[in-house]
PDB file of all heavy atoms in Angstrom:
ATOM      1  N   PRO J  47       7.757   7.890   3.114  1.00  0.00           N
ATOM      2  CA  PRO J  47       7.418   8.658   4.203  1.00  0.00           C
ATOM      3  C   PRO J  47       6.262   9.749   3.930  1.00  0.00           C
ATOM      4  O   PRO J  47       5.453   9.941   4.742  1.00  0.00           O
ATOM      5  CB  PRO J  47       8.706   9.299   4.734  1.00  0.00           C
ATOM      6  CG  PRO J  47       9.779   8.374   4.229  1.00  0.00           C
ATOM      7  CD  PRO J  47       9.284   7.809   2.957  1.00  0.00           C
ATOM      8  N   PRO J  48       6.407  10.523   2.792  1.00  0.00           N
ATOM      9  CA  PRO J  48       5.397  11.567   2.677  1.00  0.00           C
ATOM     10  C   PRO J  48       3.940  11.012   2.586  1.00  0.00           C
ATOM     11  O   PRO J  48       3.003  11.709   2.831  1.00  0.00           O
ATOM     12  CB  PRO J  48       5.728  12.208   1.324  1.00  0.00           C
ATOM     13  CG  PRO J  48       7.116  11.717   0.978  1.00  0.00           C
ATOM     14  CD  PRO J  48       7.394  10.466   1.694  1.00  0.00           C
ATOM     15  N   PHE J  49       3.849   9.633   2.188  1.00  0.00           N
ATOM     16  CA  PHE J  49       2.496   9.191   2.005  1.00  0.00           C
ATOM     17  C   PHE J  49       2.049   8.148   3.035  1.00  0.00           C
ATOM     18  O   PHE J  49       0.874   7.597   2.919  1.00  0.00           O
ATOM     19  CB  PHE J  49       2.507   8.475   0.533  1.00  0.00           C
ATOM     20  CG  PHE J  49       2.875   9.454  -0.563  1.00  0.00           C
ATOM     21  CD1 PHE J  49       4.124   9.158  -1.120  1.00  0.00           C
ATOM     22  CD2 PHE J  49       2.079  10.471  -1.004  1.00  0.00           C
ATOM     23  CE1 PHE J  49       4.439  10.022  -2.183  1.00  0.00           C
ATOM     24  CE2 PHE J  49       2.468  11.284  -1.969  1.00  0.00           C
ATOM     25  CZ  PHE J  49       3.744  11.053  -2.582  1.00  0.00           C
ATOM     26  N   LEU J  50       2.964   7.739   3.847  1.00  0.00           N
ATOM     27  CA  LEU J  50       2.694   6.667   4.778  1.00  0.00           C
ATOM     28  C   LEU J  50       1.751   6.862   5.869  1.00  0.00           C
ATOM     29  O   LEU J  50       1.133   5.926   6.415  1.00  0.00           O
ATOM     30  CB  LEU J  50       4.054   6.148   5.364  1.00  0.00           C
ATOM     31  CG  LEU J  50       4.110   4.866   5.958  1.00  0.00           C
ATOM     32  CD1 LEU J  50       3.625   3.686   4.925  1.00  0.00           C
ATOM     33  CD2 LEU J  50       5.518   4.525   6.410  1.00  0.00           C
ATOM     34  N   ALA J  51       1.464   8.046   6.236  1.00  0.00           N
ATOM     35  CA  ALA J  51       0.595   8.335   7.424  1.00  0.00           C
ATOM     36  C   ALA J  51      -0.737   7.573   7.402  1.00  0.00           C
ATOM     37  O   ALA J  51      -1.442   7.689   6.460  1.00  0.00           O
ATOM     38  CB  ALA J  51       0.333   9.913   7.536  1.00  0.00           C
ATOM     39  N   GLY J  52      -0.940   6.814   8.343  1.00  0.00           N
ATOM     40  CA  GLY J  52      -2.209   6.099   8.624  1.00  0.00           C
ATOM     41  C   GLY J  52      -2.324   4.708   7.909  1.00  0.00           C
ATOM     42  O   GLY J  52      -3.077   3.919   8.190  1.00  0.00           O
ATOM     43  N   VAL J  53      -1.307   4.348   7.068  1.00  0.00           N
ATOM     44  CA  VAL J  53      -1.360   3.106   6.369  1.00  0.00           C
ATOM     45  C   VAL J  53      -1.052   1.951   7.250  1.00  0.00           C
ATOM     46  O   VAL J  53      -1.809   0.994   7.195  1.00  0.00           O
ATOM     47  CB  VAL J  53      -0.482   3.134   5.143  1.00  0.00           C
ATOM     48  CG1 VAL J  53      -0.383   1.749   4.415  1.00  0.00           C
ATOM     49  CG2 VAL J  53      -0.877   4.160   4.027  1.00  0.00           C
ATOM     50  N   PRO J  54      -0.015   1.955   8.089  1.00  0.00           N
ATOM     51  CA  PRO J  54       0.257   0.833   8.986  1.00  0.00           C
ATOM     52  C   PRO J  54      -0.905   0.535   9.850  1.00  0.00           C
ATOM     53  O   PRO J  54      -1.214  -0.580  10.143  1.00  0.00           O
ATOM     54  CB  PRO J  54       1.581   1.236   9.693  1.00  0.00           C
ATOM     55  CG  PRO J  54       2.223   2.181   8.831  1.00  0.00           C
ATOM     56  CD  PRO J  54       1.117   2.925   8.070  1.00  0.00           C
ATOM     57  N   GLU J  55      -1.593   1.602  10.390  1.00  0.00           N
ATOM     58  CA  GLU J  55      -2.665   1.422  11.190  1.00  0.00           C
ATOM     59  C   GLU J  55      -3.852   0.753  10.593  1.00  0.00           C
ATOM     60  O   GLU J  55      -4.539  -0.134  11.195  1.00  0.00           O
ATOM     61  CB  GLU J  55      -3.135   2.780  11.803  1.00  0.00           C
ATOM     62  CG  GLU J  55      -2.130   3.501  12.755  1.00  0.00           C
ATOM     63  CD  GLU J  55      -1.005   4.244  11.948  1.00  0.00           C
ATOM     64  OE1 GLU J  55      -1.008   4.311  10.791  1.00  0.00           O
ATOM     65  OE2 GLU J  55      -0.021   4.741  12.687  1.00  0.00           O
ATOM     66  N   LEU J  56      -4.137   1.074   9.349  1.00  0.00           N
ATOM     67  CA  LEU J  56      -5.251   0.491   8.592  1.00  0.00           C
ATOM     68  C   LEU J  56      -5.059  -1.062   8.324  1.00  0.00           C
ATOM     69  O   LEU J  56      -5.770  -1.778   8.429  1.00  0.00           O
ATOM     70  CB  LEU J  56      -5.506   1.146   7.223  1.00  0.00           C
ATOM     71  CG  LEU J  56      -6.204   2.423   7.293  1.00  0.00           C
ATOM     72  CD1 LEU J  56      -6.269   3.218   5.926  1.00  0.00           C
ATOM     73  CD2 LEU J  56      -7.670   2.231   7.738  1.00  0.00           C
ATOM     74  N   LEU J  57      -3.629  -1.324   7.970  1.00  0.00           N
ATOM     75  CA  LEU J  57      -3.312  -2.665   7.754  1.00  0.00           C
ATOM     76  C   LEU J  57      -3.383  -3.568   8.991  1.00  0.00           C
ATOM     77  O   LEU J  57      -3.781  -4.658   9.063  1.00  0.00           O
ATOM     78  CB  LEU J  57      -1.904  -2.805   7.077  1.00  0.00           C
ATOM     79  CG  LEU J  57      -1.864  -2.055   5.759  1.00  0.00           C
ATOM     80  CD1 LEU J  57      -0.430  -2.154   5.183  1.00  0.00           C
ATOM     81  CD2 LEU J  57      -2.824  -2.804   4.775  1.00  0.00           C
ATOM     82  N   ALA J  58      -2.893  -2.938  10.082  1.00  0.00           N
ATOM     83  CA  ALA J  58      -2.933  -3.666  11.412  1.00  0.00           C
ATOM     84  C   ALA J  58      -4.405  -4.008  11.794  1.00  0.00           C
ATOM     85  O   ALA J  58      -4.755  -4.965  12.302  1.00  0.00           O
ATOM     86  CB  ALA J  58      -2.283  -2.821  12.497  1.00  0.00           C
ATOM     87  N   GLU J  59      -5.341  -2.911  11.496  1.00  0.00           N
ATOM     88  CA  GLU J  59      -6.776  -3.152  11.861  1.00  0.00           C
ATOM     89  C   GLU J  59      -7.249  -4.267  10.975  1.00  0.00           C
ATOM     90  O   GLU J  59      -8.136  -5.026  11.485  1.00  0.00           O
ATOM     91  CB  GLU J  59      -7.451  -1.847  11.460  1.00  0.00           C
ATOM     92  CG  GLU J  59      -8.521  -1.362  12.352  1.00  0.00           C
ATOM     93  CD  GLU J  59      -9.099   0.007  11.919  1.00  0.00           C
ATOM     94  OE1 GLU J  59      -8.553   0.989  12.478  1.00  0.00           O
ATOM     95  OE2 GLU J  59     -10.033  -0.016  11.081  1.00  0.00           O
ATOM     96  N   ALA J  60      -6.796  -4.518   9.838  1.00  0.00           N
ATOM     97  CA  ALA J  60      -7.336  -5.601   8.998  1.00  0.00           C
ATOM     98  C   ALA J  60      -6.764  -6.935   9.524  1.00  0.00           C
ATOM     99  O   ALA J  60      -7.174  -7.950   9.036  1.00  0.00           O
ATOM    100  CB  ALA J  60      -6.895  -5.433   7.610  1.00  0.00           C
TER     101      ALA J  60
END
Side-chain angles (χ1 to χ4, degrees):
F49 307 108
L50 196 55
V53 175
E55 293 81 6
L56 282 171
L57 296 178
E59 218 173 271

